[in-house]
């Protein structure tokens, strides 16, 4: 009987995807595996200034990466959420922040109390009952016991990949600088048996991780896993990124500013600001997008603008035969809600949970692909929500977004909220109820009714309940330091 145990893991490609995979496998399974990563400095990575979401903190704890050293290395700042501007209508804005709003009863969630309060004219903005919203709006951040915040980071993705590489190599991962000339397959079962390098060397392995970016050298060009295109739901297909010097202290949130054919981002790092524009080439040329971006960049440019092409969608099979696609090789959802690094993290976590140490079994492959599809589909729906539920009709792009057919799964969520103010989250989904609430309310969805259980509370009792929460939030946030001051004390990086 052939020995099918997995002993050699070969990772094709570096960047955040390759090195996070390498570091995690080495930390958790390195005593039983030979892990090699192959990358070429001649092949660039997509990495630009990145915004992240809170689960990244868990990954760092697993890898024993201490937060101050991490932020120092990546010139990072803190992120409490995203401020959306011009999405519902021109001139409108709202926050999608981390954390939870208000307090719930055993029967009705907080939004039902708030909805009744709004009808009575005694409730403020939904965000006023959330610490993260109040802290973001006031430019504050801190780590204190009486105001525990849910947060993420703004980072330099290139510096982050370097930090992950140092971590992985510290756990014993071997890196080889080389370009892959050929992917060699077993003639009997079609599994990948090795990677032929341009030097002629053959690097053999038992399990291969494709981190080669959009091209999917292993998973698609070799194994033909298939691709599910979402361009009919997510019309943006290009981005232009550029870095600039800061002109103000960093805010503890990302800005996403909608324009006629897409949206712009501003991500504040310690010593520069990541700027970019995401757009549809069916509605804008590259020159039009570049002009719009540069007209709105503040500060002196420190890099040249570069165009990034993408196709929204995912592989039909994230794991196929003995190859697992991670990062851009597995698919791409535009960066509107900062999910790219998180989906890398989830791929790696699932791979560790289902690691085929005694050989690849179809049941593991099927379950891995099912879970990845459920989570990725739910992220897709959340992004589509921002585009579809809008009052904007000022350009062909927005009229298309308003009129497009949407997935049945998203239509169901919208109707649940529109009719009864209900939201839900399954165990395999990323975004929780508060996230869906903030975006649906921010985009203009108003439920037709609230839960009848809140009617048992008298008007004055409801007023006191809402004002009590708002006062608690305000008192807690008032104790927080200014965001810049906290960075200076906690993780200040040296100037470039």
């Amino acid at each position: 009987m052939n020995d099918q145990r997995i002993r050699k893991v070969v990772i094709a490609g570096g960047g955040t995807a390759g090195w996070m995979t390498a570091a995690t496998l080495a930390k958790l399974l390195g005593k039983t595996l030979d892990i090699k990563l192959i990358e070429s400095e001649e092949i660039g990575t997509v990495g630009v200034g990145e915004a992240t979401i809170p689960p990244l903190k868990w990954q760092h704890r697993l890898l024993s990466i201490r937060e101050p050293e991490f932020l120092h290395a990546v010139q990072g700042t803190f992120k409490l959420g995203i401020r959306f501007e011009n999405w519902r209508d021109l001139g409108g804005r709202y926050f999608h922040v981390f954390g939870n709003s208000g307090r719930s009863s055993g029967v009705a969630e907080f939004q039902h109390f708030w909805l009744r309060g709004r009808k009575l004219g005694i409730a403020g903005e939904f965000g006023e009952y959330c610490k993260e919203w109040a802290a973001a709006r006031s430019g504050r951040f801190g780590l204190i016991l009486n105001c525990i915040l849910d947060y993420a980071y703004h980072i330099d993705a290139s510096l982050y990949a370097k930090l992950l590489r140092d971590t992985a190599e510290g756990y014993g991962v071997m890196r080889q600088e080389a370009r892959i000339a050929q992917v060699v397959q077993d003639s009997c079962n079609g599994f990948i048996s090795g990677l032929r390098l341009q030097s002629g060397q053959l690097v053999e392995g038992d399990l291969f991780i494709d981190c080669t970016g959009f091209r999917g050298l292993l998973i698609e060009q070799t194994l033909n896993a298939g691709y599910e295109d979402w361009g009919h739901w997510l019309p943006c297909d290009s981005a232009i990124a550029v870095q600039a010097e800061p002109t103000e202290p960093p805010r503890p949130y990302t800005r996403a500013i909608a324009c006629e054919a897409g949206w712009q981002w501003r991500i504040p790092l310690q010593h520069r600001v990541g700027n970019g524009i995401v757009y549809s080439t069916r509605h804008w040329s590259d020159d039009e997008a570049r002009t719009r971006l540069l007209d709105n960049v503040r500060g002196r440019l420190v890099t040249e603008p570069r165009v990034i092409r993408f196709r929204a969608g995912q592989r039909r099979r994230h794991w196929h035969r003995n190859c697992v696609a991670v990062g851009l090789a597995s698919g791409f959802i535009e960066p509107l809600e900062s999910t790219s690094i998180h989906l890398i993290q989830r791929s790696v976590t699932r791979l560790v949970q289902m690691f085929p140490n005694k050989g690849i079994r179809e049941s593991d492959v099927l379950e891995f692909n099912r879970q990845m599809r459920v989570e990725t589909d739910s992220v897709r729906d959340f992004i589509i929500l921002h585009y579809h539920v809008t009052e904007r009709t000022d350009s062909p792009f927005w009229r298309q977004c308003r009129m497009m057919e949407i997935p049945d799964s998203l239509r169901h969520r919208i109707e649940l909220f529109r009719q009864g103010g209900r939201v839900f989250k399954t165990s395999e989904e990323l975004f929780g109820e508060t996230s869906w609430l903030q975006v649906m309310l921010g985009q203009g969805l108003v439920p037709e009714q609230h839960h009848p259980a809140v009617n048992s509370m008298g008007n004055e009792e409801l007023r006191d309940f809402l004002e009590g929460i708002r006062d608690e939030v305000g008192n807690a946030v008032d104790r927080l330091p200014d965001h810049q001051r906290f960075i200076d004390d906690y993780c200040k990086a040296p100037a470039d």
Side-chain angles (χ1 to χ4, degrees):
M1 183 175 178
N2 292 334
D3 186 351
Q4 297 180 330
R5 284 180 294 178
I6 304 297
R7 292 189 177 91
K8 294 183 179 180
V9 176
V10 179
I11 301 170
T16 300
W19 286 113
M20 181 177 285
T21 302
T24 306
L25 290 177
K27 173 70 183 297
L28 299 179
L29 303 172
K31 292 182 179 179
T32 62
L33 296 175
D34 173 8
I35 304 171
K36 177 174 286 188
L37 185 145
I38 300 170
E39 68 173 341
S40 172
E41 293 181 355
E42 297 176 10
I43 301 176
T45 61
V46 173
V48 293
E50 282 274 8
T52 65
I53 57 178
L56 186 61
K57 298 194 293 289
W58 308 336
Q59 189 76 15
H60 290 171
R61 293 188 193 111
L62 184 152
L63 295 174
S64 301
I65 296 174
R66 296 187 67 250
E67 185 173 81
E69 286 79 3
F70 153 70
L71 289 164
H72 181 276
V74 301
Q75 298 186 355
T77 62
F78 292 92
K79 175 188 172 185
L80 293 168
I82 305 170
R83 191 173 81 180
F84 288 94
E85 305 169 33
N86 301 330
W87 283 84
R88 174 179 176 175
D89 50 29
L90 289 171
R93 61 178 58 173
Y94 68 91
F95 274 105
H96 168 208
V97 295
F98 310 124
N100 295 312
S101 292
R103 291 193 295 269
S104 302
S105 71
V107 175
E109 298 299 318
F110 174 72
Q111 72 266 20
H112 296 282
F113 295 91
W114 177 81
L115 285 167
R116 181 169 172 237
R118 291 291 277 188
K119 288 180 181 178
L120 295 172
I122 59 175
E125 289 186 59
F126 187 73
E128 292 178 22
Y129 307 92
C130 173
K131 296 190 299 294
E132 289 78 7
W133 184 93
R137 193 176 188 190
S138 60
R140 296 172 180 266
F141 185 86
L143 301 175
I144 58 177
L145 290 177
N146 57 7
C147 187
I148 297 173
L149 301 172
D150 199 4
Y151 64 91
Y153 312 105
H154 300 124
I155 64 174
D156 183 307
S158 298
L159 294 177
Y160 185 47
K162 182 180 183 301
L163 174 66
L164 290 172
R165 174 183 169 179
D166 291 343
T167 303
E169 290 181 327
Y171 289 133
V173 174
M174 300 300 296
R175 176 189 182 272
Q176 185 163 353
E177 167 69 28
R179 296 194 66 157
I180 300 167
Q182 179 189 9
V183 181
V184 181
Q185 292 178 265
D186 186 293
S187 59
C188 296
N189 60 16
F191 279 34
I192 297 173
S193 59
L195 304 179
R196 181 82 61 185
L197 309 182
Q198 282 192 336
S199 64
Q201 177 188 355
L202 179 65
V203 178
E204 296 180 306
D206 304 311
L207 180 69
F208 292 81
I209 314 297
D210 190 341
C211 300
T212 63
F214 291 126
R215 59 183 179 146
L217 177 62
L218 282 62
I219 195 71
E220 190 60 43
Q221 293 187 26
T222 303
L223 297 181
N224 302 306
Y227 196 78
E228 185 176 298
D229 193 313
W230 294 337
H232 52 298
W233 290 321
L234 297 171
C236 293
D237 57 10
S238 296
I240 301 175
V242 69
Q243 302 282 349
E245 292 180 343
T247 60
E248 61 182 7
R251 308 182 191 199
Y253 56 85
T254 302
R255 293 179 66 191
I257 309 160
C259 46
E260 293 91 332
W263 61 279
Q264 294 178 236
W265 76 73
R266 287 185 188 159
I267 299 174
L269 306 182
Q270 289 190 38
H271 301 306
R272 58 183 181 178
V273 177
N275 296 272
I277 190 163
V278 177
Y279 59 100
S280 163
T281 55
R282 291 183 292 277
H283 299 88
W284 264 357
S285 68
D286 292 343
D287 287 342
E288 288 174 310
R290 182 182 291 104
T291 298
R292 169 55 66 90
L293 171 63
L294 296 181
D295 283 348
N296 288 281
V297 170
R298 301 171 182 173
R300 185 181 67 86
L301 300 186
V302 295
T303 62
E304 289 297 316
R306 63 188 181 99
V307 177
I308 302 165
R309 302 289 186 211
F310 59 83
R311 186 161 59 111
Q314 67 174 324
R315 299 289 169 208
R316 296 190 183 278
R317 288 167 288 192
H318 294 245
W319 183 346
H320 187 33
R321 296 195 173 113
N322 65 332
C323 176
V324 179
V326 177
L328 299 178
S330 71
F332 183 72
I333 305 174
E334 63 167 83
L336 184 60
E337 285 284 355
S338 313
T339 53
S340 293
I341 291 178
H342 174 77
L343 290 174
I344 293 170
Q345 180 182 342
R346 295 300 296 144
S347 296
V348 176
T349 300
R350 287 194 172 99
L351 177 58
V352 171
Q353 290 170 340
M354 301 179 186
F355 195 82
N357 60 303
K358 292 186 177 180
I360 294 171
R361 292 175 171 82
E362 188 63 18
S363 58
D364 287 335
V365 175
L366 290 173
E367 182 60 17
F368 181 96
N369 286 330
R370 186 197 68 79
Q371 290 187 19
M372 287 303 303
R373 173 170 292 276
V374 169
E375 182 161 14
T376 308
D377 284 354
S378 71
V379 173
R380 174 205 67 194
D381 285 0
F382 191 58
I383 303 302
I384 296 171
L385 173 69
H386 298 66
Y387 285 101
H388 179 65
V389 180
T390 179
E391 298 172 7
R392 289 191 63 163
T393 58
D394 55 287
S395 69
F397 175 86
W398 288 107
R399 291 193 290 273
Q400 174 187 328
C401 291
R402 277 171 55 94
M403 299 301 296
M404 68 181 173
E405 290 295 321
I406 59 175
D408 290 341
S409 51
L410 176 58
R411 187 173 302 283
H412 174 61
R413 285 183 188 269
I414 290 173
E415 289 309 309
L416 271 178
F417 185 70
R418 191 196 310 275
Q419 294 173 12
R422 295 183 178 90
V423 292
F424 65 91
K425 176 186 183 298
T426 66
S427 61
E428 292 168 340
E429 294 178 342
L430 168 59
F431 292 104
E433 290 89 341
T434 300
S435 291
W436 284 92
L437 277 167
Q438 290 177 92
V439 175
M440 288 193 285
L441 290 170
Q443 294 291 134
L445 273 178
V446 179
E448 297 169 359
Q449 61 181 346
H450 56 261
H451 196 286
V454 305
N455 294 329
S456 62
M457 184 179 285
N459 292 359
E460 287 304 313
E461 186 182 2
L462 178 61
R463 183 194 303 273
D464 291 343
F465 171 72
L466 293 172
E467 288 185 356
I469 296 172
R470 186 161 48 186
D471 289 345
E472 287 177 12
V473 167
N475 291 335
V477 170
D478 284 345
R479 300 186 182 98
L480 293 173
D482 173 78
H483 181 222
Q484 179 67 70
R485 195 180 86 194
F486 182 79
I487 290 171
D488 291 343
D489 293 340
Y490 185 69
C491 58
K492 186 174 183 179
D496 289 337

